[in-house]
Amino acid sequence: MCGIIGFVGREQAAPVLLDGLARMEYRGYDSAGIAVRSEARGLQVRKTKGRLQALSDLVHGGADVEGTLGIGHTRWATHGEPSDVNAHPHVSESGNIALVHNGIIENYLEIKEFLLCHGVTFTSETDSEVVAQLLEFHYNECHNMLEAVGRVLRRIEGSYALGIICSDYPNALIAARKDSPLILGYGEMGNFIASDVTAIIKYTRDVVYMEDREIAVVTAEGVDVFTSDMTPVVKEHHQVDWDVTAAEKGGYPHFMFKEIMEQPEAIRRTISPRIREGRVVLDDVRFTAEDMEKFSRIFIVACGSSYHVGVVSKYNWQRLLRRSVEVELASEFRYSDPLVDEHTLVVVISQSGETLDTMAAMREAKRRGARTLAIVNVVGSSIAREADDVLYTWAGPEIAVATTKAYSTQLILMDLLGLYLADLLGTVEKAEYDSVLTQLQALPDQMQRFLDGFEDVKYFASRYFNHNSVFYIGRNLDYAMGLEGSLKLKEISYIHSEAYASGELKHGTISLIEPGTLVVALGTHEALFDKAMSNVVEVKARGAEVLALTTEPLRERMEKIADATIVVPRTHPILQPSLGVVALQLFAYYVALQRGCDIDKPRNLAKSVTVE
Ligand code: M6R
């Protein structure tokens, strides 16, 4: 995700900013920039798409920009593709104010329209530039920078960590945050702001954590923190006690683990800008209820884990839309002479937006006249550019080869889209719509609670890591979730594993069950729990060791049959796979850890599959 650093002190700022940005490279980014101010040269802004090295080359390691006050940013695109102009810092029209931003401004379009009406010209497509321009607008009204910042913060909605410098306010950095982390660092050579301790740990371990809606004024001499109504706040200082080497993955042992832990925050980002006044609002879907009525066929097309999202969504969309929904592997769809025409909606799902089979399937669908809608994580990727409509998952950069947070955000976005389309068609009862939406908003906290204590999953991984073959069984949404759990296990631990619809076992697979075979029994789908249990009894009868996954209300019944049980929080049935899958990701992770596997870069696999 994006990274922020700011410095004001007694040394040249640019080398410090470049060094701090380099330490946040692990977060992933697609462009970077710095803004430095000096008395003689004013505000100097340099930014570029691509690697940090390109930025460093542009400013000759910092030698080309002069000044002891500055801000820097690594961007991971959310609004507007990766490009030089969309990179931060963003500068106001007069060139007086430069700003870096992490987060998403939810009402940026409305503010942009307001500013356009007042003659403001924009150079980028970003929500962040809107904040810089709005700040200048208010500054021109009140001629007081702090007052202008306060007015902006009262007007913007969404999440932000902001670092601001202004020519008329030459000795200070201004920082503010809401729902996006920002810390203040107190150093010998000067003071800092940063979105991530790693950026400044080389210079100081003395930090203060900003709280939501606080504003900080940082100078070379000190730091003042205020509440939103400018009441001074006395902050507690913390000493960072971990080593710089632990910081490469933000303190986590693996990117996969970090990304698992980031899921509550990632899905919050996916959800919150898209729910307004009790309704799902998808500004980027440009087809109407009439268009939707005309679609006689709906396909969901993807590869790997993205395909597994499609399998879950097929069940959910059929329930919500009362339409037949087909889910296809992109590599099969493209060569299947698919029955697709102008009355077909084809939804493609891809984290990278570059998967060749998915891309080719989408092109084939378009060639046959279908309307295409892409669910993509990487902004400006090929699939995102070519689809008729695109919805971004906003999961942030995913570095581990095994997807976790991208899967979860895709699933959540498909749930939102399902509700949205059902609303257009009028196929969902209000009570059901409201119930899913309410529980969707509660989901990030439920997931966080699960992630706050999963010692049992770790223990079961240590108990079962030696198995050579594992079967995941379940019905309906549990089966769909099992497909992903099984893929996670096989790709990172190299254990052979398969997912089966429980009802299929008797048609062949049950012959593979012998004493000691590990079966992961998924029993979270209440409507079919009894049926699923009878299949668990069948494998138990043949000597299987059963590790079960269920919810609290079903725990007691499950524990009577299973050898071990993992319990996840209960939610609306449509959303239940989003909570269950997190336990399966963790199980795969800890099994792979026990087996000493290269978790982030499993053998033979690539993050983005751009070949057939
Ligand atoms: O970038 P995409 O979502 O299109 O990638 C699709 C698959 O290659 C991907 O999900 C793959 O299966 C992952 N390694 C699963 O963890």
Side-chain angles (χ1 to χ4, degrees):
M1 273 323 263
C2 306
I4 288 179
I5 179 167
F7 170 73
V8 50
R10 288 166 284 281
E11 312 258 329
Q12 287 297 306
V16 177
L17 299 177
L18 290 171
D19 179 72
L21 293 178
R23 287 171 195 283
M24 289 189 286
E25 271 195 301
Y26 77 92
R27 297 162 66 106
Y29 64 100
D30 50 50
S31 52
I34 55 173
V36 176
R37 192 198 166 276
S38 76
E39 208 51 53
R41 294 208 212 158
L43 210 55
Q44 307 138 77
V45 180
R46 304 284 185 277
K47 50 188 191 174
T48 180
K49 181 182 165 183
R51 310 309 298 167
L52 261 179
Q53 191 55 49
L55 176 66
S56 182
D57 292 346
L58 192 69
V59 295
H60 294 100
D64 280 6
V65 281
E66 180 194 290
T68 56
L69 167 88
I71 47 179
H73 191 263
T74 43
R75 173 176 190 248
W76 202 80
T78 57
H79 293 63
E81 62 181 10
S83 68
D84 292 357
V85 279
N86 288 336
H88 299 217
H90 287 287
V91 180
S92 63
E93 208 173 3
S94 71
N96 251 345
I97 296 169
L99 165 151
V100 287
H101 166 227
N102 285 0
I104 292 176
I105 304 301
E106 290 164 16
N107 57 342
Y108 82 105
L109 283 175
E110 175 194 317
I111 298 173
K112 191 167 182 175
E113 247 166 60
F114 165 83
L115 292 170
L116 284 168
C117 288
H118 284 79
V120 175
T121 312
F122 288 83
T123 53
S124 81
E125 303 156 86
T126 64
D127 52 338
S128 310
E129 186 192 355
V130 172
V131 185
Q133 304 289 16
L134 184 66
L135 186 54
E136 178 154 280
F137 178 85
H138 286 303
Y139 182 66
N140 289 341
E141 281 179 339
C142 64
H143 304 288
N144 176 320
M145 198 54 196
L146 280 182
E147 170 58 28
V149 170
R151 287 184 192 188
V152 167
L153 300 188
R154 283 192 288 280
R155 195 144 173 195
I156 57 178
E157 288 164 20
S159 57
Y160 53 81
L162 294 170
I164 303 163
I165 56 179
C166 172
S167 298
D168 295 349
Y169 209 62
N171 303 317
L173 291 168
I174 299 175
R177 72 151 272 182
K178 181 182 158 272
D179 295 334
S180 188
L182 201 60
I183 57 163
L184 307 167
Y186 299 72
E188 292 286 308
M189 58 192 261
N191 296 317
F192 300 84
I193 64 169
S195 54
D196 191 322
V197 177
T198 53
I200 58 172
I201 197 167
K202 178 176 164 192
Y203 307 102
T204 180
R205 289 170 181 276
D206 181 7
V207 302
V208 153
Y209 297 99
M210 286 184 76
E211 298 298 331
D212 276 355
R213 299 183 191 280
E214 285 181 344
I215 301 170
V217 178
V218 184
T219 62
E221 289 72 40
V223 181
D224 293 311
V225 183
F226 306 94
T227 59
S228 57
D229 61 2
M230 298 315 287
T231 309
V233 189
V234 178
K235 301 289 294 180
E236 188 188 344
H237 285 238
H238 298 264
Q239 289 299 315
V240 179
D241 59 3
W242 42 270
D243 196 69
V244 74
T245 52
E248 282 162 6
K249 298 184 180 82
Y252 291 103
H254 296 97
F255 283 112
M256 183 181 175
F257 190 63
K258 171 176 172 277
E259 287 157 6
I260 289 173
M261 300 307 278
E262 282 173 350
Q263 290 181 109
E265 187 48 37
I267 62 173
R268 208 171 272 126
R269 269 198 306 273
T270 310
I271 297 169
S272 61
R274 289 167 167 137
I275 298 179
R276 284 180 229 146
E277 289 160 14
R279 298 225 84 73
V280 179
V281 182
L282 299 177
D283 293 326
D284 299 322
V285 175
R286 290 164 301 153
F287 49 80
T288 59
E290 290 85 70
D291 294 329
M292 197 57 208
E293 287 289 356
K294 284 188 208 135
F295 296 137
S296 53
R297 312 194 75 186
I298 300 174
F299 282 95
I300 304 172
V301 180
C303 300
S305 295
S306 298
Y307 167 78
H308 296 157
V309 169
V311 181
V312 176
S313 303
K314 174 189 162 80
Y315 290 107
N316 284 340
W317 281 26
Q318 281 185 179
R319 172 175 175 158
L320 292 168
L321 305 182
R322 303 314 303 150
R323 288 275 197 287
S324 152
V325 178
E326 292 172 52
V327 56
E328 297 258 4
L329 290 164
S331 53
E332 291 295 315
F333 177 88
R334 60 184 290 202
Y335 295 121
S336 67
D337 193 7
L339 292 174
V340 168
D341 59 17
E342 64 279 15
H343 299 300
T344 312
L345 173 65
V346 174
V347 177
V348 297
I349 309 174
S350 176
Q351 185 285 129
S352 60
E354 302 294 347
T355 301
L356 187 83
D357 281 323
T358 309
M359 175 72 151
M362 186 179 80
R363 285 182 179 156
E364 182 59 24
K366 282 186 90 167
R367 200 180 64 75
R368 290 170 187 246
R371 177 90 184 208
T372 55
L373 190 163
I375 304 287
V376 175
N377 193 35
V378 178
V379 174
S381 55
S382 307
I383 291 175
R385 286 202 307 272
E386 285 193 28
D388 295 317
D389 299 273
V390 58
L391 285 171
Y392 288 112
T393 46
W394 296 329
E398 194 176 62
I399 295 164
V401 166
T403 181
T404 52
K405 64 175 180 172
Y407 171 93
S408 288
T409 52
Q410 288 168 344
L411 198 52
I412 289 293
L413 194 46
M414 287 296 278
D415 292 335
L416 284 167
L417 183 57
L419 284 174
Y420 179 81
L421 298 180
D423 198 19
L424 281 186
L425 287 170
T427 49
V428 59
E429 298 280 329
K430 187 175 178 326
E432 166 104 321
Y433 183 94
D434 290 347
S435 165
V436 180
L437 211 56
T438 307
Q439 297 189 57
L440 192 59
Q441 286 164 290
L443 201 83
D445 288 342
Q446 284 184 301
M447 194 183 278
Q448 187 61 61
R449 277 199 295 281
F450 178 73
L451 286 172
D452 287 342
F454 52 80
E455 286 307 307
D456 53 343
V457 182
K458 216 163 150 179
Y459 165 70
F460 295 139
S462 70
R463 191 159 134 190
Y464 295 123
F465 78 96
N466 259 331
H467 284 256
N468 292 324
S469 190
V470 181
F471 295 91
Y472 286 72
I473 62 167
R475 285 175 181 257
N476 198 274
L477 288 168
D478 280 330
Y479 161 60
M481 174 171 69
L483 290 170
E484 179 59 7
S486 166
L487 179 64
K488 285 285 88 68
L489 187 74
K490 76 181 92 170
E491 69 182 332
I492 62 167
S493 74
Y494 315 143
I495 295 176
H496 169 255
S497 109
E498 302 297 338
Y500 286 99
S502 307
E504 265 297 293
L505 284 175
K506 284 201 279 290
H507 299 285
T509 313
I510 203 158
S511 64
L512 293 170
I513 307 294
E514 56 187 10
T517 304
L518 180 61
V519 173
V520 178
L522 307 169
T524 68
H525 190 60
E526 286 178 30
L528 290 174
F529 185 76
D530 290 332
K531 299 249 177 250
M533 282 311 94
S534 50
N535 302 120
V536 178
V537 170
E538 284 160 11
V539 294
K540 273 297 296 171
R542 282 145 186 94
E545 176 89 10
V546 173
L547 168 63
L549 177 76
T550 191
T551 59
E552 194 55 58
L554 301 170
R555 173 207 282 259
E556 215 175 292
R557 289 162 68 197
M558 184 61 101
E559 280 178 344
K560 285 193 182 130
I561 304 171
D563 298 290
T565 306
I566 299 169
V567 179
V568 293
R570 179 181 189 239
T571 180
H572 191 284
I574 283 181
L575 309 172
Q576 197 62 60
S578 287
L579 290 173
V581 80
V582 176
L584 301 182
Q585 294 164 349
L586 283 166
F587 180 69
Y589 173 81
Y590 282 110
V591 166
L593 195 66
Q594 291 278 344
R595 292 167 73 96
C597 299
D598 186 354
I599 291 179
D600 285 337
K601 290 198 179 70
R603 69 185 179 208
N604 307 338
L605 294 178
K607 184 67 186 161
S608 180
V609 184
T610 52
V611 290
E612 267 199 74

Short mmCIF file of all heavy atoms in Angstrom, two decimals, residues 49 81-82 303 306 334 348-360 362-363 374-386 392 410 607-612:
data_model
loop_
_atom_site.label_atom_id
_atom_site.label_comp_id
_atom_site.label_asym_id
_atom_site.label_seq_id
_atom_site.Cartn_x
_atom_site.Cartn_y
_atom_site.Cartn_z
N LYS A 49 6.51 7.47 -12.27
CA LYS A 49 5.99 6.11 -12.25
C LYS A 49 7.17 5.14 -12.17
O LYS A 49 8.25 5.46 -12.63
CB LYS A 49 5.23 5.89 -13.58
CG LYS A 49 4.61 4.54 -13.73
CD LYS A 49 3.93 4.42 -15.08
CE LYS A 49 3.64 2.96 -15.33
NZ LYS A 49 3.05 2.70 -16.63
N GLU A 81 -4.78 5.36 -13.01
CA GLU A 81 -3.73 4.36 -13.23
C GLU A 81 -2.36 4.86 -12.73
O GLU A 81 -2.18 6.05 -12.51
CB GLU A 81 -3.64 4.05 -14.72
CG GLU A 81 -3.27 5.25 -15.55
CD GLU A 81 -3.21 4.92 -17.03
OE1 GLU A 81 -3.63 3.83 -17.43
OE2 GLU A 81 -2.71 5.78 -17.77
N PRO A 82 -1.41 3.93 -12.59
CA PRO A 82 -0.06 4.37 -12.20
C PRO A 82 0.53 5.25 -13.30
O PRO A 82 0.57 4.84 -14.46
CB PRO A 82 0.72 3.05 -12.10
CG PRO A 82 -0.32 1.98 -12.02
CD PRO A 82 -1.52 2.48 -12.73
N CYS A 303 -9.47 -17.61 -13.13
CA CYS A 303 -8.52 -18.72 -12.91
C CYS A 303 -8.19 -18.84 -11.41
O CYS A 303 -8.23 -17.84 -10.68
CB CYS A 303 -7.19 -18.45 -13.61
SG CYS A 303 -7.32 -18.26 -15.37
N SER A 306 -9.26 -16.87 -7.98
CA SER A 306 -10.30 -15.96 -8.47
C SER A 306 -11.48 -16.77 -8.99
O SER A 306 -12.64 -16.37 -8.84
CB SER A 306 -9.73 -15.07 -9.57
OG SER A 306 -8.69 -14.29 -9.07
N ARG A 334 -12.47 -19.94 -22.92
CA ARG A 334 -12.01 -19.29 -24.14
C ARG A 334 -12.02 -20.21 -25.34
O ARG A 334 -12.12 -19.76 -26.48
CB ARG A 334 -10.62 -18.66 -23.94
CG ARG A 334 -9.54 -19.64 -23.57
CD ARG A 334 -8.21 -18.98 -23.29
NE ARG A 334 -7.57 -18.43 -24.46
CZ ARG A 334 -6.26 -18.19 -24.55
NH1 ARG A 334 -5.48 -18.41 -23.50
NH2 ARG A 334 -5.75 -17.71 -25.65
N VAL A 348 -15.45 -10.99 -15.17
CA VAL A 348 -14.15 -11.64 -15.02
C VAL A 348 -13.52 -11.17 -13.71
O VAL A 348 -13.70 -10.02 -13.31
CB VAL A 348 -13.19 -11.37 -16.22
CG1 VAL A 348 -13.74 -11.94 -17.50
CG2 VAL A 348 -12.90 -9.89 -16.37
N ILE A 349 -12.80 -12.08 -13.07
CA ILE A 349 -12.19 -11.75 -11.78
C ILE A 349 -10.69 -12.01 -11.88
O ILE A 349 -10.28 -13.09 -12.31
CB ILE A 349 -12.78 -12.62 -10.64
CG1 ILE A 349 -14.32 -12.56 -10.65
CG2 ILE A 349 -12.25 -12.16 -9.29
CD1 ILE A 349 -14.98 -13.50 -9.64
N SER A 350 -9.90 -11.02 -11.49
CA SER A 350 -8.44 -11.22 -11.53
C SER A 350 -7.75 -10.26 -10.56
O SER A 350 -7.96 -9.05 -10.65
CB SER A 350 -7.92 -10.98 -12.94
OG SER A 350 -6.51 -11.08 -12.96
N GLN A 351 -6.96 -10.81 -9.67
CA GLN A 351 -6.18 -9.95 -8.77
C GLN A 351 -5.23 -9.09 -9.58
O GLN A 351 -5.23 -7.87 -9.47
CB GLN A 351 -5.40 -10.83 -7.78
CG GLN A 351 -4.63 -10.10 -6.68
CD GLN A 351 -3.35 -9.42 -7.14
OE1 GLN A 351 -3.14 -8.23 -6.85
NE2 GLN A 351 -2.49 -10.11 -7.86
N SER A 352 -4.41 -9.74 -10.40
CA SER A 352 -3.34 -9.03 -11.11
C SER A 352 -3.86 -8.21 -12.27
O SER A 352 -3.26 -7.21 -12.65
CB SER A 352 -2.34 -10.05 -11.66
OG SER A 352 -3.00 -10.93 -12.55
N GLY A 353 -4.99 -8.65 -12.84
CA GLY A 353 -5.49 -7.98 -14.04
C GLY A 353 -4.63 -8.30 -15.26
O GLY A 353 -4.78 -7.67 -16.31
N GLU A 354 -3.75 -9.27 -15.14
CA GLU A 354 -2.84 -9.59 -16.24
C GLU A 354 -2.88 -11.07 -16.62
O GLU A 354 -2.13 -11.48 -17.51
CB GLU A 354 -1.38 -9.22 -15.88
CG GLU A 354 -1.14 -7.77 -15.51
CD GLU A 354 -1.36 -6.81 -16.67
OE1 GLU A 354 -1.46 -7.28 -17.83
OE2 GLU A 354 -1.48 -5.59 -16.41
N THR A 355 -3.70 -11.88 -15.95
CA THR A 355 -3.71 -13.31 -16.23
C THR A 355 -4.15 -13.54 -17.68
O THR A 355 -5.24 -13.12 -18.09
CB THR A 355 -4.65 -14.03 -15.25
OG1 THR A 355 -4.16 -13.77 -13.94
CG2 THR A 355 -4.70 -15.52 -15.50
N LEU A 356 -3.28 -14.20 -18.43
CA LEU A 356 -3.50 -14.28 -19.88
C LEU A 356 -4.81 -14.98 -20.23
O LEU A 356 -5.56 -14.51 -21.09
CB LEU A 356 -2.32 -15.00 -20.54
CG LEU A 356 -2.42 -14.95 -22.05
CD1 LEU A 356 -1.88 -13.66 -22.60
CD2 LEU A 356 -1.72 -16.13 -22.67
N ASP A 357 -5.08 -16.11 -19.57
CA ASP A 357 -6.31 -16.85 -19.92
C ASP A 357 -7.56 -16.01 -19.63
O ASP A 357 -8.52 -16.04 -20.41
CB ASP A 357 -6.37 -18.16 -19.12
CG ASP A 357 -5.48 -19.23 -19.74
OD1 ASP A 357 -5.41 -19.29 -20.99
OD2 ASP A 357 -4.85 -19.99 -18.98
N THR A 358 -7.54 -15.30 -18.53
CA THR A 358 -8.71 -14.48 -18.17
C THR A 358 -8.88 -13.35 -19.18
O THR A 358 -9.99 -13.03 -19.62
CB THR A 358 -8.54 -13.92 -16.73
OG1 THR A 358 -8.21 -15.02 -15.88
CG2 THR A 358 -9.79 -13.26 -16.24
N MET A 359 -7.75 -12.77 -19.55
CA MET A 359 -7.75 -11.69 -20.53
C MET A 359 -8.31 -12.19 -21.86
O MET A 359 -9.17 -11.55 -22.48
CB MET A 359 -6.29 -11.24 -20.68
CG MET A 359 -6.07 -10.23 -21.72
SD MET A 359 -6.76 -8.71 -21.11
CE MET A 359 -5.73 -7.64 -21.94
N ALA A 360 -7.81 -13.37 -22.29
CA ALA A 360 -8.24 -13.92 -23.58
C ALA A 360 -9.73 -14.28 -23.53
O ALA A 360 -10.46 -14.05 -24.50
CB ALA A 360 -7.40 -15.15 -23.92
N MET A 362 -11.97 -12.84 -21.73
CA MET A 362 -12.72 -11.59 -21.76
C MET A 362 -12.78 -11.04 -23.20
O MET A 362 -13.83 -10.59 -23.66
CB MET A 362 -12.08 -10.57 -20.83
CG MET A 362 -12.88 -9.30 -20.70
SD MET A 362 -12.13 -8.14 -19.57
CE MET A 362 -10.89 -7.43 -20.61
N ARG A 363 -11.66 -11.11 -23.90
CA ARG A 363 -11.65 -10.61 -25.28
C ARG A 363 -12.61 -11.42 -26.16
O ARG A 363 -13.31 -10.87 -27.00
CB ARG A 363 -10.23 -10.70 -25.85
CG ARG A 363 -9.34 -9.61 -25.29
CD ARG A 363 -7.96 -9.66 -25.90
NE ARG A 363 -7.14 -8.58 -25.36
CZ ARG A 363 -5.82 -8.60 -25.32
NH1 ARG A 363 -5.16 -9.65 -25.76
NH2 ARG A 363 -5.16 -7.57 -24.83
N ALA A 374 -15.12 -6.24 -15.02
CA ALA A 374 -13.95 -6.86 -14.39
C ALA A 374 -13.85 -6.49 -12.92
O ALA A 374 -14.07 -5.34 -12.54
CB ALA A 374 -12.68 -6.42 -15.12
N ILE A 375 -13.51 -7.50 -12.11
CA ILE A 375 -13.21 -7.30 -10.69
C ILE A 375 -11.69 -7.45 -10.58
O ILE A 375 -11.17 -8.55 -10.77
CB ILE A 375 -13.89 -8.39 -9.83
CG1 ILE A 375 -15.40 -8.43 -10.06
CG2 ILE A 375 -13.54 -8.26 -8.35
CD1 ILE A 375 -16.19 -7.31 -9.46
N VAL A 376 -11.00 -6.38 -10.31
CA VAL A 376 -9.54 -6.37 -10.43
C VAL A 376 -8.93 -5.68 -9.22
O VAL A 376 -9.53 -4.75 -8.66
CB VAL A 376 -9.12 -5.65 -11.75
CG1 VAL A 376 -7.62 -5.51 -11.86
CG2 VAL A 376 -9.64 -6.40 -12.96
N ASN A 377 -7.72 -6.11 -8.85
CA ASN A 377 -7.04 -5.42 -7.75
C ASN A 377 -6.04 -4.37 -8.27
O ASN A 377 -5.94 -3.29 -7.71
CB ASN A 377 -6.31 -6.44 -6.86
CG ASN A 377 -5.87 -5.82 -5.56
OD1 ASN A 377 -6.55 -4.95 -5.01
ND2 ASN A 377 -4.73 -6.23 -5.07
N VAL A 378 -5.32 -4.73 -9.32
CA VAL A 378 -4.25 -3.82 -9.78
C VAL A 378 -4.83 -2.77 -10.73
O VAL A 378 -5.29 -3.09 -11.83
CB VAL A 378 -3.11 -4.61 -10.46
CG1 VAL A 378 -2.04 -3.66 -10.96
CG2 VAL A 378 -2.51 -5.62 -9.48
N VAL A 379 -4.79 -1.54 -10.27
CA VAL A 379 -5.37 -0.43 -11.04
C VAL A 379 -4.56 -0.22 -12.33
O VAL A 379 -3.34 -0.27 -12.32
CB VAL A 379 -5.38 0.86 -10.19
CG1 VAL A 379 -5.83 2.06 -11.00
CG2 VAL A 379 -6.30 0.66 -8.99
N GLY A 380 -5.27 -0.01 -13.42
CA GLY A 380 -4.61 0.28 -14.69
C GLY A 380 -4.06 -0.96 -15.36
O GLY A 380 -3.36 -0.85 -16.39
N SER A 381 -4.35 -2.15 -14.84
CA SER A 381 -3.84 -3.39 -15.46
C SER A 381 -4.60 -3.64 -16.76
O SER A 381 -5.61 -3.00 -17.05
CB SER A 381 -4.02 -4.55 -14.49
OG SER A 381 -5.37 -4.63 -14.10
N SER A 382 -4.11 -4.60 -17.54
CA SER A 382 -4.66 -4.80 -18.89
C SER A 382 -6.15 -5.13 -18.84
O SER A 382 -6.95 -4.59 -19.61
CB SER A 382 -3.91 -5.93 -19.59
OG SER A 382 -2.54 -5.66 -19.53
N ILE A 383 -6.54 -6.05 -17.95
CA ILE A 383 -7.95 -6.44 -17.89
C ILE A 383 -8.81 -5.25 -17.48
O ILE A 383 -9.88 -5.01 -18.03
CB ILE A 383 -8.13 -7.66 -16.95
CG1 ILE A 383 -7.47 -8.90 -17.58
CG2 ILE A 383 -9.60 -7.92 -16.63
CD1 ILE A 383 -7.46 -10.15 -16.72
N ALA A 384 -8.31 -4.48 -16.51
CA ALA A 384 -9.06 -3.30 -16.06
C ALA A 384 -9.27 -2.32 -17.21
O ALA A 384 -10.33 -1.71 -17.34
CB ALA A 384 -8.33 -2.64 -14.90
N ARG A 385 -8.25 -2.18 -18.04
CA ARG A 385 -8.35 -1.21 -19.13
C ARG A 385 -9.30 -1.66 -20.23
O ARG A 385 -9.99 -0.86 -20.84
CB ARG A 385 -6.97 -0.93 -19.71
CG ARG A 385 -6.10 -0.06 -18.80
CD ARG A 385 -5.00 0.62 -19.59
NE ARG A 385 -4.23 -0.34 -20.37
CZ ARG A 385 -3.16 -0.99 -19.91
NH1 ARG A 385 -2.73 -0.76 -18.70
NH2 ARG A 385 -2.51 -1.84 -20.67
N GLU A 386 -9.34 -2.97 -20.45
CA GLU A 386 -10.13 -3.45 -21.60
C GLU A 386 -11.58 -3.78 -21.28
O GLU A 386 -12.40 -3.90 -22.19
CB GLU A 386 -9.45 -4.68 -22.21
CG GLU A 386 -8.22 -4.30 -23.00
CD GLU A 386 -7.68 -5.43 -23.86
OE1 GLU A 386 -8.46 -6.29 -24.29
OE2 GLU A 386 -6.47 -5.44 -24.10
N TYR A 392 -12.70 -2.05 -8.66
CA TYR A 392 -11.44 -2.38 -8.00
C TYR A 392 -11.69 -2.91 -6.59
O TYR A 392 -12.56 -2.40 -5.87
CB TYR A 392 -10.53 -1.16 -7.95
CG TYR A 392 -9.96 -0.80 -9.31
CD1 TYR A 392 -10.33 0.37 -9.96
CD2 TYR A 392 -9.08 -1.66 -9.95
CE1 TYR A 392 -9.82 0.69 -11.22
CE2 TYR A 392 -8.56 -1.35 -11.21
CZ TYR A 392 -8.94 -0.18 -11.83
OH TYR A 392 -8.43 0.12 -13.06
N GLN A 410 -12.09 -9.82 -3.24
CA GLN A 410 -12.87 -10.18 -4.44
C GLN A 410 -14.23 -10.73 -4.02
O GLN A 410 -15.27 -10.38 -4.57
CB GLN A 410 -12.15 -11.27 -5.24
CG GLN A 410 -10.91 -10.79 -5.98
CD GLN A 410 -10.08 -11.96 -6.52
OE1 GLN A 410 -10.25 -13.11 -6.11
NE2 GLN A 410 -9.18 -11.67 -7.44
N LYS A 607 3.44 -15.17 -9.38
CA LYS A 607 2.35 -14.34 -8.87
C LYS A 607 1.36 -13.99 -9.99
O LYS A 607 0.16 -13.95 -9.78
CB LYS A 607 2.93 -13.07 -8.24
CG LYS A 607 1.89 -12.16 -7.59
CD LYS A 607 1.26 -12.81 -6.38
CE LYS A 607 0.12 -12.00 -5.79
NZ LYS A 607 -0.74 -12.83 -4.93
N SER A 608 1.90 -13.72 -11.14
CA SER A 608 1.03 -13.31 -12.23
C SER A 608 1.28 -14.25 -13.40
O SER A 608 2.42 -14.35 -13.88
CB SER A 608 1.36 -11.86 -12.57
OG SER A 608 0.56 -11.42 -13.59
N VAL A 609 0.24 -14.93 -13.87
CA VAL A 609 0.45 -15.97 -14.90
C VAL A 609 0.09 -15.37 -16.27
O VAL A 609 -1.07 -15.37 -16.68
CB VAL A 609 -0.39 -17.23 -14.57
CG1 VAL A 609 -0.10 -18.33 -15.59
CG2 VAL A 609 -0.06 -17.73 -13.17
N THR A 610 1.12 -14.89 -16.94
CA THR A 610 0.88 -14.17 -18.19
C THR A 610 1.19 -15.03 -19.43
O THR A 610 1.45 -14.52 -20.50
CB THR A 610 1.73 -12.88 -18.23
OG1 THR A 610 3.08 -13.25 -17.94
CG2 THR A 610 1.26 -11.89 -17.20
N VAL A 611 1.22 -16.35 -19.20
CA VAL A 611 1.38 -17.29 -20.32
C VAL A 611 0.24 -18.30 -20.23
O VAL A 611 -0.38 -18.46 -19.19
CB VAL A 611 2.73 -18.04 -20.27
CG1 VAL A 611 3.88 -17.11 -20.58
CG2 VAL A 611 2.93 -18.70 -18.90
N GLU A 612 0.01 -19.01 -21.34
CA GLU A 612 -1.06 -20.04 -21.33
C GLU A 612 -0.62 -21.26 -20.58
O GLU A 612 0.54 -21.65 -20.67
CB GLU A 612 -1.38 -20.45 -22.77
CG GLU A 612 -2.51 -19.64 -23.35
CD GLU A 612 -3.12 -20.34 -24.54
OE1 GLU A 612 -3.83 -21.33 -24.37
OE2 GLU A 612 -2.83 -19.87 -25.65
#
